[in-house]
Amino acid sequence: MTTILVTGGTGTLGRIVAERLRAEGHEVRVLSRGSDTYPVDLVTGAGLEGAMAGVHTVVHCASTPNRRGADEAAARRLIDAARTAGVRHLVYISIVGIDRVPLGYYRAKLAVERLIEASGLDFTVLRTTQFHDLAYDIAAALAKLPVVPAPTGARIQPVAVEEVADRLVELALGAPAGRVEDMGGPRVYSVRELVVAYLRANGKRRPTFGVRLPGKVSAGLRRGGNLAPEQAVGRGTFEEFLARRVGAGQG
């Protein structure tokens, strides 16, 4: 049995990773500021040293996209604590295209990758395309309008979070491998296709129209910087995700 620490272990991905690791028989420590067992603030480092003691592997899923500089600060604290504790393997979940699409959050993720690469720790980095949940949120937000604008040229390759969790568990239980091959969903969709699928699943109809968004981020998306068509290894489709979510009354 290995002691594995999962940051962000109550989030969309981290929760599933922690469940899978426990099912494999490992001791899992889930970090949270509100935890009774491991109350840790990654940004300040408060409580981190005690939580890290005796840990073999760290799976870093925590992220704070709306707080500038928080991810970098948290990574520095985590790396320092991991080195002190003699952690053998640091696994990090990242995003496809962070070096191709100049989005602020992507720049932060790339900065964390570079911190990990320079840390001296043995590590594994997995980049994936966006989860079905994000594609759903985008489609749902746009579909609220009576006439739906769909950014032209922008595409998304959503992947099932459960499949990403399975891959992360596989990597965490294996040897450090550096940056591994990217992981993408089985199909690339235009934003309009996502909206139409969302409307159809919910029994709604809305007219749509294309809109070309300005800026470097939109240009990067039109170039497909966020896609990994050569690594379309995911199996679950967006339509299957929609069917489950709408069937559960969450449409």
Side-chain angles (χ1 to χ4, degrees), residues 134-149 195 198 206:
L134 177 61
Y136 176 93
D137 289 345
I138 292 170
L142 291 171
K144 289 179 180 178
L145 300 171
V147 180
V148 181
V195 171
Y198 171 87
R206 298 276 195 283

Side-chain angles (χ1 to χ4, degrees), residues 93-106:
I93 181 67
S94 192
I95 304 172
V96 168
I98 56 174
D99 49 356
R100 300 193 295 260
V101 180
L103 193 65
Y105 179 48
Y106 281 19

